[in-house]
Amino acid sequence: MAGRVCVCACVWLLAVPGVAYGPKQRAQRSGDIMLGGLFPIHLGVQSHDQDLAARPEATECVRFNFRGFRWLQAMVFAVDQINNSTDLLPNVTLGYRIHDTCNTVSKALEATLSFVAQNKIDSLSLDEFCNCSGKVPSTIAVVGATGSSVSTSVANLLGLFYIPQISYGSSSRLLSNRQQFQSFMRTIPSDEQQAVAMAAVIEHFGWNWVIAVASDDDYGRPAVEKFENEMLERDICIDLNELISQYATEAEVRALADRIQNSSARVIAAFATAPDLEPLVRELARRNLTGRVWLASEAWATSSLIARPDYLDVMVGTLGFALRAGHIPGFRDFLRQIRPGSSWAHNEFVREFWEETFNCYLEDENGATRRERKQEVEGEEEEGGASLRPRCSGDEDVSSVETPYLDYTHLRISYNVYVAVYAIAHALQEILTCRPGKGLFANNSCADIRRVEAWQVLKQLRHLRFYDSLGELVSFNEGAELHGNYTIVNWHRSPSDNSVEFHEVGYHVSASGRGEGKLYIDRTKLIWTGQTTEVPFSNCSDDCDPGTRKSIIDGMPTCCFECTECSDGEYSDHKDASICSKCPTDSWSRDNHTSCFRKEIHFLSWEEPFGVTLAILASLGVMATAFVLALFIKFRDTPIVKASNRELSYLLLTSLICCFLSSLLFIGKPKDWTCRLRQPAFGVSFVLCISCILVKTNRVLLVFEAKIPTSVHRKWWGLNLQFLLVFLFTFVQVAICVVWLYNAPPASYENHELDDEVIVVTCHEGSAMALGLLIGYTCLLAAACFLFAFKSRKLPENFTEAKFITFSMLIFFIVWGSFVPAYVSTHGKYVSAVEVIAILASSYSMLACLFFNKVYILLFKPSRNTVEEVRCSTAAHAFKAAARATLRHGSNASRKRSSSPSLSSSSSSKPELEGGSLERRGERVRAPRVSFEAMSMSVTRGDGRSDSELSKP
């Protein structure tokens, strides 16, 4: 019996509102289902040095928070609206128990323990022991808390008992960890998205030298860590990274203010709550430290604690990231209906709100004791002891006082509270309307709405999907985070009362997943510090002009740099370029390196004077050679043409025309086909030409040196064999060209290395060895031709063809000997010009030396174009040749006689010899006669026999 009495007494103590466990000041209303609420009705607690000499006193909350009270009212309004609804939770009444966290972890945990303790007592089912008529139902969900550090502690405790928690203001990204905070949910975006948005704004205005300030708690530290990473990705440097707290000493605040004042950064990004930031702002305002741009996180972007007229000189121009405002129908009238009295007895915070709003006091049941305490508090707060507050009548008009409580124009956190309450209501609605067999619990069963437990509500919330009044989807699935839709507000000074006005100047919508999102800022609406419209400068170094790049200074952050001019071939066309871009391969940088221009394309053109001159010379060579060929064809039956080996001369002149024509392939823009054709055309043409000269020279030499030309000589040096030799010599060159074109064909290419501002279009020969072999073989034939021509230098005086061949080959060697060093040392389009000059010079030399004399005779000295003239030109040489032959014959006979063995035999034979000698003396020795008929040389013996006759026409 005693145990039953004890248990009932414990339950009574927890059930009776006046003596229930937890903070004494609360807002509470009974119902079928109870919701918990955690709100910062005060901004902090009084700090006391607890030396534990006596029992520690409970800490007292100070600094009434009007915004926090409005958030509490949003929850009360939402619960009342749901209870009055016929569609949502009909016949089910929601109740609430709301506690003040005083913006501290200790007070929040004290309130949370009351929720947990009540739930544990309720789970004991003590109805069989006593009739507990005043029993309070379990708290099935908690709305709150505000600060991330507070919510972290609360979530750790509530998660142990699977009590769902929906925060309306805790944005720390650490709370996204579902493994650690399994019962935590929220209706506010994560700070991770806010850090991305703030970094995007800094990049948008071109700042790269900023100061980061953050609360020293679970809200500020993770946020500034993410902010640092975003800054690093954007090459933006943080000069100072400081942590602050509302409990920092004055010396610490002054030291931080000194560092900010001495920093060259002019942009301050603050991830802090208003109570933590306020001591620093107060110190900076005391120093009148203007000229700074503040970037405010959502925790203080519209906070009345910072947005005060006495701080506005320092804070004007602040850019704040406020949550997107929502609309709560009827909430404005609800806020105005507040009155102290019995109708608001369930909300114990109304009395203090009324006293703080109208700066008066309300009598309560304690009367004078309460006034005395107020006098004591007021005396401590006001210098010199201010007069007592007047008594409140209770009929004051709330609308007549300007207070943050009635700032319902932009409902942000209040709307998040409203959505959180409705999320719980929708989860309960799904439990209420659940049909057996389609539930979320074991065997698809449904929960009983009258005996619903916290873990069942948590399960239902995890599967909840509904749309709020803004049309946005609300879901608490695992991994589901609300998109960060932030409104960017700019702090202006009101011209009427010097108060702070929040002007919407843009927005930032976070992208789904990982991304930059969408940023929009209307610069025409911005007002900066000092009431200017010019964007402040906050860079470690001055911007680099176009044409330069940033060069890192050793030992300094990357944002501190020197401006270095771009290298040749590189450019930068915008300010603050990190690197200079390389110009395209066909372009080059201008002198100021701000842009590129197209390079000039150089090649041996048909249009330039040099190319035209070479083309004219080649054309004249072709015409001159064609003229000689036509002349030879016209006078083909004359002795001078016949004596020049008529058929070989035709072939020689044709090859010379090809030589002149091949030089034209080196003029004009090189293409693949011209590159593959020009060297083989040049090589084959010259080899054909030199082969003809070689065969002619060798035949002339053999004929004049022959003692007695026989039919064998005539057969061996017949016309067919001459053409065969020419073909064989030329075939070797053709084979070299075929192998060259097959293995390494030449091709055109653009050379960008010779000159920075010029592209030289030339031919890549493919194989230098093949080119050397082609020219070397040509020179080898020329050397052989020169050798034979040199041996023929003592031919008859009037027969000067061998001498002319010698001169032409000598010029050929001089030209091509000079060509090699000139070709190697010349670059660009003049490489082709050098080879063209060499081709023309050698071609002209052969044409002039071999045919000028004959053309002169044909045109101007026809009298010399006779058989007698040709014979006369060879007479002297013929007699000399016969004499040499006779002398050699006599010398051989004398050697034979001197070698006879006996004198007698010599004597006996003397008459014969003498007779024979006489006979030989009496014999008429005739000089051999040499005739030319189509370069077919014949010798007429002394007996009158002739191989051929020159007298024939």
Side-chain angles (χ1 to χ4, degrees):
M1 183 66 182
R4 295 181 65 182
V5 173
C6 180
V7 171
C8 289
C10 293
V11 173
W12 180 81
L13 288 173
L14 289 169
V16 176
V19 294
Y21 177 77
K24 296 180 179 180
Q25 198 173 15
R26 69 184 69 185
Q28 180 169 312
R29 176 168 284 178
S30 60
D32 300 327
I33 298 175
M34 296 296 293
L35 306 182
L38 297 174
F39 294 90
I41 308 303
H42 294 84
L43 294 175
V45 296
Q46 283 186 338
S47 58
H48 296 286
D49 294 332
Q50 302 286 356
D51 57 1
L52 301 181
R55 180 185 296 273
E57 297 179 357
T59 55
E60 184 178 355
C61 299
V62 295
R63 302 168 67 188
F64 190 82
N65 184 8
F66 290 94
R67 296 176 70 216
F69 183 67
R70 186 180 73 234
W71 302 339
L72 179 150
Q73 289 289 75
M75 179 175 177
V76 173
F77 175 76
V79 171
D80 291 347
Q81 199 175 54
I82 294 169
N83 288 337
N84 295 327
S85 173
T86 57
D87 298 327
L88 194 59
L89 295 178
N91 302 321
V92 176
T93 303
L94 295 181
Y96 53 81
R97 282 195 301 158
I98 303 175
H99 295 286
D100 180 14
T101 64
C102 301
N103 205 34
T104 60
V105 173
S106 59
K107 289 293 184 180
L109 288 178
E110 184 180 356
T112 305
L113 283 173
S114 70
F115 300 144
V116 174
Q118 180 62 51
N119 287 12
K120 297 305 292 183
I121 293 297
D122 187 56
S123 66
L124 295 178
S125 300
L126 301 177
D127 291 343
E128 59 179 300
F129 297 101
C130 64
N131 183 16
C132 302
S133 59
K135 175 184 174 183
V136 178
S138 300
T139 302
I140 55 94
V142 175
V143 177
T146 308
S148 296
S149 57
V150 175
S151 287
T152 300
S153 301
V154 172
N156 283 324
L157 182 56
L158 293 178
L160 295 175
F161 303 97
Y162 299 98
I163 300 175
Q165 174 191 0
I166 303 180
S167 174
Y168 50 84
S170 300
S171 56
S172 173
R173 64 188 183 94
L174 297 180
L175 291 168
S176 299
N177 188 344
R178 288 295 179 89
Q179 299 297 323
Q180 183 177 356
F181 308 104
Q182 53 187 346
S183 67
F184 178 82
M185 290 157 281
R186 56 186 167 192
T187 57
I188 186 174
S190 169
D191 279 337
E192 187 163 350
Q193 302 177 50
Q194 184 176 207
V196 174
M198 193 171 291
V201 169
I202 293 175
E203 186 178 34
H204 173 78
F205 288 109
W207 299 321
N208 67 5
W209 193 237
V210 300
I211 298 173
V213 177
S215 293
D216 190 10
D217 54 22
D218 290 339
Y219 168 73
R221 288 191 298 268
V224 79
E225 180 182 353
K226 174 64 177 177
F227 180 70
E228 285 179 331
N229 295 334
E230 291 296 323
M231 294 293 99
L232 186 61
E233 291 181 4
R234 291 170 167 82
D235 291 331
I236 300 174
C237 301
I238 298 177
D239 183 28
L240 294 177
N241 194 346
E242 302 289 343
L243 296 176
I244 57 175
S245 172
Q246 61 177 316
Y247 304 110
T249 63
E250 291 185 3
E252 292 173 340
V253 173
R254 285 195 299 269
L256 176 57
D258 289 339
R259 291 192 292 273
I260 293 176
Q261 185 173 1
N262 296 330
S263 173
S264 59
R266 292 296 181 266
V267 175
I268 306 173
F271 292 90
T273 61
D276 286 337
L277 187 64
E278 196 268 340
L280 175 62
V281 175
R282 184 171 60 248
E283 175 63 21
L284 296 178
R286 186 186 65 81
R287 301 185 182 193
N288 195 26
L289 186 61
T290 59
R292 268 64 175 176
V293 176
W294 290 81
L295 300 181
S297 64
E298 42 77 28
W300 66 279
T302 57
S303 172
S304 59
L305 188 64
I306 306 297
R308 294 166 53 179
D310 47 343
Y311 296 159
L312 197 53
D313 288 340
V314 174
M315 305 304 294
V316 68
T318 296
L319 288 179
F321 291 82
L323 299 174
R324 200 167 84 167
H327 176 62
I328 304 177
F331 187 51
R332 175 179 180 180
D333 295 334
F334 178 80
L335 293 177
R336 290 178 173 179
Q337 292 173 3
I338 187 171
R339 287 287 187 278
S342 58
S343 60
W344 291 88
H346 62 278
N347 191 339
E348 299 180 9
F349 300 108
V350 173
R351 180 180 297 273
E352 187 175 359
F353 163 75
W354 203 265
E355 292 177 345
E356 293 296 329
T357 300
F358 297 103
N359 196 23
C360 61
Y361 71 93
L362 288 169
E363 285 191 352
D364 58 5
E365 57 187 14
N366 296 325
T369 304
R370 183 177 180 85
R371 287 197 302 271
E372 290 175 0
R373 184 173 64 82
K374 286 291 181 180
Q375 291 175 15
E376 182 179 355
V377 173
E378 295 292 340
E380 291 177 355
E381 290 181 353
E382 298 181 9
E383 296 182 1
S387 60
L388 294 176
R389 287 183 176 183
R391 181 179 176 180
C392 300
S393 64
D395 296 326
E396 290 85 357
D397 184 9
V398 177
S399 303
S400 64
V401 181
E402 189 171 332
T403 171
Y405 171 74
L406 290 179
D407 185 13
Y408 45 77
T409 55
H410 300 289
L411 299 177
R412 308 181 194 280
I413 299 297
S414 301
Y415 182 74
N416 289 348
V417 174
Y418 183 78
V419 172
V421 175
Y422 264 87
I424 299 172
H426 278 280
L428 294 173
Q429 178 70 16
E430 292 185 1
I431 293 175
L432 178 64
T433 58
C434 177
R435 296 179 181 179
K438 294 185 178 180
L440 299 176
F441 306 100
N443 300 321
N444 296 327
S445 61
C446 299
D448 184 4
I449 191 64
R450 296 295 176 181
R451 300 183 59 86
V452 67
E453 298 184 33
W455 65 271
Q456 294 173 321
V457 179
L458 177 60
K459 176 71 172 178
Q460 199 70 48
L461 282 170
R462 288 180 177 176
H463 291 79
L464 178 67
R465 291 174 63 87
F466 78 99
Y467 290 91
D468 59 14
S469 60
L470 294 178
E472 296 182 349
L473 177 65
V474 178
S475 175
F476 302 110
N477 292 339
E478 184 174 357
E481 290 281 358
L482 295 178
H483 292 310
N485 297 337
Y486 298 100
T487 299
I488 301 177
V489 296
N490 188 215
W491 291 19
H492 290 201
R493 187 190 300 273
S494 174
S496 58
D497 57 0
N498 205 34
S499 63
V500 179
E501 294 180 350
F502 303 111
H503 288 232
E504 294 186 4
V505 295
Y507 59 84
H508 183 276
V509 180
S510 300
S512 57
R514 298 182 63 87
E516 294 296 327
K518 181 180 179 181
L519 173 67
Y520 170 76
I521 296 179
D522 187 355
R523 295 199 179 195
T524 60
K525 297 180 180 180
L526 288 174
I527 293 295
W528 300 103
T529 176
Q531 295 295 116
T532 63
T533 57
E534 183 180 356
V535 178
F537 180 83
S538 183
N539 292 39
C540 183
S541 302
D542 292 334
D543 294 339
C544 289
D545 295 328
T548 62
R549 63 173 178 84
K550 295 187 290 187
S551 179
I552 303 301
I553 304 175
D554 292 338
M556 296 292 290
T558 56
C559 300
C560 302
F561 49 82
E562 296 176 336
C563 296
T564 304
E565 187 177 15
C566 294
S567 303
D568 291 338
E570 297 180 346
Y571 74 99
S572 64
D573 55 1
H574 59 278
K575 286 187 175 182
D576 250 6
S578 299
I579 58 173
C580 294
S581 303
K582 287 188 175 296
C583 293
T585 55
D586 61 345
S587 302
W588 193 250
S589 59
R590 300 187 185 277
D591 293 338
N592 56 7
H593 298 278
T594 58
S595 61
C596 299
F597 64 92
R598 292 186 64 85
K599 295 180 180 179
E600 296 182 11
I601 298 179
H602 280 199
F603 55 88
L604 190 59
S605 173
W606 293 98
E607 300 174 356
E608 61 180 299
F610 194 29
V612 172
T613 301
L614 294 177
I616 292 174
L617 291 176
S619 302
L620 291 177
V622 171
M623 290 187 291
T625 308
F627 173 76
V628 174
L629 178 60
L631 200 64
F632 264 55
I633 293 174
K634 180 178 180 181
F635 296 97
R636 61 184 176 277
D637 294 327
T638 59
I640 196 70
V641 175
K642 290 182 178 180
S644 299
N645 200 334
R646 180 173 53 192
E647 286 76 10
L648 278 181
S649 295
Y650 292 162
L651 185 59
L652 175 60
L653 288 169
T654 303
S655 63
L656 276 175
I657 292 175
C658 294
C659 290
F660 283 112
L661 291 176
S662 68
S663 65
L664 298 177
L665 295 174
F666 292 83
I667 304 175
K669 186 175 183 179
K671 294 180 173 49
D672 287 346
W673 68 271
T674 57
C675 290
R676 294 189 177 111
L677 184 61
R678 66 183 191 175
Q679 296 293 4
F682 145 71
V684 173
S685 300
F686 263 81
V687 166
L688 179 60
C689 179
I690 294 175
S691 298
C692 294
I693 298 173
L694 177 61
V695 171
K696 286 183 63 176
T697 306
N698 192 32
R699 192 166 186 277
V700 169
L701 179 64
L702 290 178
V703 169
F704 276 105
E705 292 294 332
K707 301 168 188 172
I708 302 176
T710 64
S711 61
V712 176
H713 289 87
R714 290 192 300 273
K715 181 179 180 181
W716 181 253
W717 288 106
L719 190 60
N720 293 335
L721 183 60
Q722 296 174 46
F723 282 111
L724 177 62
L725 289 175
V726 172
F727 170 76
L728 291 177
F729 290 144
T730 308
F731 177 77
V732 175
Q733 186 77 308
V734 172
I736 293 174
C737 295
V738 170
V739 174
W740 180 11
L741 294 177
Y742 180 78
N743 292 321
S748 64
Y749 83 106
E750 296 180 349
N751 192 332
H752 299 268
E753 299 177 357
L754 294 178
D755 195 328
D756 294 334
E757 301 180 3
V758 171
I759 298 176
V760 179
V761 183
T762 184
C763 289
H764 187 274
E765 303 300 347
S767 172
M769 184 192 310
L771 179 60
L773 191 61
L774 182 141
I775 297 177
Y777 178 68
T778 305
C779 292
L780 178 64
L781 293 181
C785 188
F786 176 78
L787 178 62
F788 289 131
F790 182 76
K791 292 179 64 176
S792 304
R793 67 188 183 279
K794 295 182 180 180
L795 289 176
E797 287 77 3
N798 293 333
F799 191 79
T800 58
E801 184 165 9
K803 296 179 182 179
F804 289 136
I805 293 174
T806 303
F807 287 138
S808 66
M809 291 300 104
L810 184 61
I811 296 174
F812 181 88
F813 278 116
I814 293 174
V815 169
W816 289 102
S818 304
F819 164 77
V820 174
Y823 185 85
V824 173
S825 60
T826 305
H827 302 286
K829 64 181 181 181
Y830 298 105
V831 173
S832 298
V834 167
E835 192 163 358
V836 171
I837 291 173
I839 293 173
L840 294 179
S842 54
S843 299
Y844 271 111
S845 66
M846 287 188 288
L847 178 64
C849 292
L850 297 178
F851 295 100
F852 177 78
N853 187 40
K854 296 179 179 60
V855 171
Y856 178 77
I857 293 173
L858 290 174
L859 294 179
F860 303 106
K861 298 291 183 179
S863 59
R864 295 178 56 184
N865 190 10
T866 60
V867 175
E868 291 75 10
E869 185 69 20
V870 173
R871 287 178 176 175
C872 181
S873 66
T874 61
H877 184 273
F879 281 111
K880 290 179 182 179
R884 284 196 299 269
T886 303
L887 290 175
R888 283 196 297 271
H889 179 74
S891 177
N892 291 336
S894 299
R895 284 196 296 269
K896 291 180 179 179
R897 287 194 299 270
S898 62
S899 61
S900 177
S902 62
L903 183 59
S904 57
S905 59
S906 301
S907 302
S908 60
S909 61
K910 185 175 181 180
E912 282 184 18
L913 291 173
E914 288 177 357
S917 176
L918 292 172
E919 186 178 359
R920 293 180 61 87
R921 292 191 194 101
E923 181 181 350
R924 187 176 60 180
V925 179
R926 295 183 182 179
R929 186 174 58 196
V930 182
S931 64
F932 295 83
E933 183 176 353
M935 276 304 289
S936 299
M937 307 189 80
S938 60
V939 180
T940 303
R941 300 289 299 177
D943 54 6
R945 293 173 297 183
S946 176
D947 293 332
S948 61
E949 295 190 15
L950 292 171
S951 59
K952 296 179 180 180

